[in-house]
């Protein structure tokens, strides 16, 4: 079974600083995809970044980047130049590379960006 | 393009009743997935519909069911409501053609409260 673990229930960071959110996962499969989703207080889940397991290069989207360590089954999210609008719940998610849309989520990390 | 819409946004029911939630996917998307979000269990996959057929199903009792119409709109139904069914129900749509390229886009959710 696939599981996703986020060990940091809450984190805070000062505006303009950098913060890293941790995520580990467990699977015996080799073809899968990893995601970070953001859920602001308004509740709409938004995709932040995705990573294909077969790609060694870490994904980057503007201020958001990941550190994907496949052997260690680790998938951390780095937010640079944190902004107040980054305050949200962040969920790490996993899906197998097939037609199976059964996405597994971690418990989430509540990030607060302080002015 | 308009995003994923869910109706109603809020719902209050009593134990034993049944409820139907609706989800309209992004235009052109053929896959609709449903998730239940609770503080205790986090985000859990309910089921996915693609081209009017249930393609995947999570580990939920038979009281939870769904369907998809020819225009890709989807409904989920919960019968004989229990207090534990109180949750935010999220719908996500994707093109549905292949998980390797698909991204799931989430709606704002329906907040169901069971009294």
């Amino acid at each position: 079974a696939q599981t996703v673990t986020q060990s940091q229930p809450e984190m805070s960071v000062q505006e303009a600083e950098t913060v890293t959110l941790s995520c580990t996962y467990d699977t015996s499969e080799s073809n899968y995809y990893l995601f970070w989703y953001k859920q602001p207080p308004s509740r709409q889940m938004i995709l932040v970044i995705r990573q294909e397991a077969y790609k060694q290069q870490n994904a980057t989207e503007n201020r958001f980047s990941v550190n994907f360590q496949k052997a260690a089954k680790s998938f951390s999210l780095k937010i640079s130049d944190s902004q107040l609008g980054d305050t949200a719940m962040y969920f790490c998610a996993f899906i197998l590379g097939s037609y199976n849309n059964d996405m597994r989520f971690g418990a989430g990390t509540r990030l607060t960006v302080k002015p | 393009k308009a995003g994923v819409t869910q109706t109603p946004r809020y719902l209050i029911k009593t134990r034993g009743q049944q409820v139907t939630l609706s989800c309209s996917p992004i235009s052109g998307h053929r896959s609709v997935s449903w998730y239940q979000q609770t503080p205790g269990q986090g985000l859990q996959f309910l089921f996915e519909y693609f081209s009017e057929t249930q393609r995947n199903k999570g580990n939920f009792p038979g009281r939870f069911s769904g369907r998809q119409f020819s225009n890709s709109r989807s409904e989920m139904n919960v019968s004989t409501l229990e207090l534990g069914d109180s949750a935010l129900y999220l719908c996500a749509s994707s093109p549905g053609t292949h998980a390797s390229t698909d991204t799931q886009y989430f709606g704002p959710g329906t907040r169901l409260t069971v009294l």
Side-chain angles (χ1 to χ4, degrees):
Chain A
Q2 283 67 235
T3 59
V4 180
T5 302
Q6 292 179 251
S7 58
Q8 305 153 313
E10 293 190 28
M11 293 190 72
S12 64
V13 63
Q14 291 296 131
E15 199 174 4
E17 293 188 346
T18 296
V19 63
T20 299
L21 309 183
S22 301
C23 172
T24 58
Y25 59 94
D26 187 29
T27 183
S28 57
E29 303 290 333
S30 60
N31 183 22
Y32 53 88
Y33 303 85
L34 296 160
F35 306 83
W36 278 98
Y37 276 91
K38 168 185 175 181
Q39 189 176 39
S42 67
R43 292 290 186 180
Q44 188 116 21
M45 294 268 283
I46 305 165
L47 177 67
V48 175
I49 200 165
R50 62 178 284 152
Q51 172 80 44
E52 292 84 350
Y54 62 85
K55 288 186 177 178
Q56 292 188 336
Q57 187 173 4
N58 290 324
T60 299
E61 286 288 342
N62 301 314
R63 298 183 295 107
F64 299 89
S65 62
V66 299
N67 183 4
F68 175 46
Q69 302 290 327
K70 191 171 184 178
K73 296 181 181 176
S74 170
F75 182 61
S76 61
L77 174 70
K78 186 172 82 170
I79 306 175
S80 303
D81 186 26
S82 296
Q83 300 175 1
L84 296 178
D86 295 332
T87 293
M89 281 289 287
Y90 286 82
F91 292 96
C92 178
F94 169 103
I95 195 168
L96 288 175
S98 65
Y99 291 101
N100 187 340
N101 267 354
D102 178 0
M103 186 175 283
R104 303 297 172 93
F105 289 86
T109 296
R110 184 177 302 280
L111 176 67
T112 301
V113 179
K114 299 179 178 179
Chain B
K1 276 186 179 179
V4 179
T5 58
Q6 292 186 245
T7 56
R9 293 293 309 278
Y10 302 91
L11 207 48
I12 299 175
K13 292 285 187 179
T14 57
R15 279 182 300 173
Q17 287 187 311
Q18 75 167 22
V19 67
T20 299
L21 313 181
S22 181
C23 172
S24 292
I26 291 171
S27 178
H29 285 190
R30 296 164 64 192
S31 168
V32 173
S33 299
W34 288 90
Y35 296 86
Q36 181 195 64
Q37 186 177 21
T38 60
Q41 299 297 318
L43 278 152
Q44 294 184 286
F45 173 76
L46 280 156
F47 31 64
E48 183 221 0
Y49 285 86
F50 177 77
S51 292
E52 302 179 65
T53 302
Q54 188 180 83
R55 190 160 66 173
N56 297 290
K57 189 177 189 304
N59 188 26
F60 276 80
R63 301 185 297 107
F64 292 82
S65 63
R67 60 178 176 168
Q68 186 179 35
F69 302 94
S70 58
N71 62 358
S72 293
R73 188 177 70 86
S74 177
E75 289 181 346
M76 68 162 281
N77 184 277
V78 187
S79 62
T80 319
L81 284 166
E82 300 177 359
L83 294 178
D85 297 333
S86 294
L88 182 69
Y89 289 88
L90 294 170
C91 161
S93 82
S94 68
T97 49
H98 201 288
S100 64
T101 54
D102 284 358
T103 293
Q104 293 193 39
Y105 295 88
F106 285 80
T110 294
R111 168 73 64 186
L112 172 65
T113 301
V114 182
L115 302 176

